[in-house]
Amino acid sequence: QDLQLPSALALAMLFTQALLGPKIGRIVDRSHPLGTPLAALAGQQCGIALAALFAAWFLTVGRTGAASVGAVCVIGCSCFAKLSALVSKVSVENHWAVALSAGGRGD
């Protein structure tokens, strides 16, 4: 029973990336090279902070019906933070590496 929540979190993150990963890639391809990683970093920090707040609430409530809602909120915020980290990573790989290599060719 103690491994149910970490397993649910891992499974949710896996499905979230598998289902939304291609859509995120298309969004990053059309977005601003500097604004996208900054917005993704802000989203990642918000997701982490909200997950921590929900986790603290989840621990104070105990194992009741409200705890299930808290667990779902922690998992949801964690998935949002993970997707934001993916956006930041893909953006840096796509935009900044190309910009740096193009800048090197002009010298």
Side-chain angles (χ1 to χ4, degrees):
Q1 183 179 2
D2 291 335
L3 295 178
Q4 286 179 345
L5 291 178
S7 298
L9 174 63
L11 188 63
M13 284 188 177
L14 176 73
F15 282 137
T16 302
Q17 279 188 326
L19 295 175
L20 298 178
K23 178 74 172 169
I24 286 175
R26 287 191 294 275
I27 290 170
V28 169
D29 288 341
R30 294 184 297 234
S31 62
H32 190 270
L34 184 59
T36 304
L38 293 176
L41 182 62
Q44 185 180 7
Q45 298 304 318
C46 288
I48 291 169
L50 286 172
L53 289 173
F54 281 121
W57 175 69
F58 174 73
L59 293 173
T60 60
V61 172
R63 300 250 179 199
T64 64
S68 300
V69 174
V72 169
C73 291
V74 169
I75 290 172
C77 292
S78 298
C79 288
F80 179 75
K82 181 74 172 174
L83 284 177
S84 296
L86 179 66
V87 168
S88 180
K89 177 184 172 191
V90 170
S91 179
V92 168
E93 288 174 355
N94 286 355
H95 294 286
W96 291 10
V98 171
L100 290 174
S101 65
R105 281 188 235 153
D107 291 338

